[in-house]
Amino acid sequence: LEVINCTFENNVANVGTGGAIFTSGTVSVNVEKSTFINNTAINSASGVGGNGGAIYSTGNSIVTVTDSIFIDNAGDADAGIYADGATFTISNSVILAKSDDTNFALNKVGSTVTANDNFWGDNSKANTNANVARWIIMNASYTNDEGVLTITATFDKTNSTSGEIADYAGTLPDGFDVTFTSTSGNLNEAVPVVNGQASVQYTLDKTDSGITVKVENSEVTFPFEVAPAVIYVSPHGDDNNDGNRE
């Protein structure tokens, strides 16, 4: 089965598994450049089903996923992606769990799972119980042109279980957002990632003490010094900015 350039959104496996895709037996599935958003697997009152909101693979099935996006998929019982006795490989993909979901984004049970080089919405770890040696992280930087900031988030580095930060040659797929906010509240914008980066321009407010760039638990904050509302200047230079001496 070839799944290429497909979108699965708001699908539900009611008292079942695999809200978008279910695989079992000696079948091979190749998923490329596809998007899975808010798919759900619901279990019964007795606990039947509820695994793999987006994908559930079991038996001897072989599933390979590349260049795809998983956002807000969940199972009542466990995981947006659930590999149970299957061979499951995923790479160069974005895997973002629901913000309030305490389960793994990808759960491995008796399976062979390879899941390196994905962005999990966390710079410090991969949201899975599979052995992941390397994952993509978000970095951010800015330039300041007389108070006009150009802030850019990039996804061109990897972190690892050894703590080594390395360059990443691949490019994550388009289709997820980076949120840029300022402490003044004047900046609050979700910007789509295009060609592996997202960028915004912002005129710094005098009350801003910081700018935050965020995707789920991946977060970078730039502090800024807030200028005093009034600056007192003494011709003698000795009033300590309190305005009392002149």
Side-chain angles (χ1 to χ4, degrees), residues 1-238:
L1 174 64
E2 298 284 329
V3 180
I4 301 174
N5 290 323
C6 294
T7 298
F8 301 85
E9 188 169 2
N10 298 327
N11 296 286
V12 177
N14 196 7
V15 191
T17 54
I21 295 176
F22 175 91
T23 69
S24 180
T26 55
V27 61
S28 294
V29 178
N30 182 46
V31 179
E32 296 180 19
K33 301 176 182 177
S34 294
T35 301
F36 299 77
I37 300 175
N38 197 39
N39 299 288
T40 307
I42 299 175
N43 62 0
S44 67
S46 60
V48 175
N51 292 314
I55 298 176
Y56 182 93
S57 56
T58 188
N60 296 316
S61 58
I62 301 172
V63 179
T64 303
V65 180
T66 55
D67 304 325
S68 294
I69 291 179
F70 296 80
I71 299 175
D72 288 345
N73 301 286
D76 278 355
D78 203 351
I81 303 170
Y82 198 96
D84 182 6
T87 299
F88 192 95
T89 303
I90 185 167
S91 61
N92 200 58
S93 294
V94 177
I95 310 166
L96 305 178
K98 284 183 179 291
S99 59
D100 58 349
D101 192 353
T102 58
N103 295 316
F104 290 117
L106 188 163
N107 195 358
K108 164 196 169 185
V109 177
S111 298
T112 300
V113 173
T114 304
N116 289 319
D117 298 329
N118 298 289
F119 177 62
W120 302 83
D122 194 321
N123 284 358
S124 63
K125 65 181 187 305
N127 187 9
T128 177
N129 62 343
N131 292 323
V132 175
R134 187 177 59 248
W135 55 94
I136 299 168
I137 62 175
M138 182 189 75
N139 282 298
S141 61
Y142 71 91
T143 59
N144 188 344
D145 183 7
E146 297 183 349
V148 178
L149 305 182
T150 300
I151 313 158
T152 303
T154 56
F155 300 84
D156 56 0
K157 301 287 184 182
T158 61
N159 198 356
S160 66
T161 52
S162 67
E164 179 184 1
I165 305 297
D167 292 335
Y168 181 62
T171 302
L172 285 175
D174 300 347
F176 68 105
D177 293 342
V178 177
T179 301
F180 298 83
T181 58
S182 65
T183 52
S184 68
N186 291 331
L187 175 63
N188 187 359
E189 188 171 349
V191 179
V193 173
V194 178
N195 294 325
Q197 66 177 34
S199 185
V200 68
Q201 281 196 328
Y202 173 63
T203 300
L204 193 65
D205 189 273
K206 64 182 180 181
T207 64
D208 279 322
S209 60
I211 304 291
T212 298
V213 184
K214 186 172 183 179
V215 180
E216 285 205 345
N217 295 320
S218 294
E219 182 175 314
V220 178
T221 297
F222 303 111
F224 291 92
E225 182 176 350
V226 179
V230 177
I231 299 177
Y232 297 98
V233 178
S234 167
H236 306 293
D238 60 356

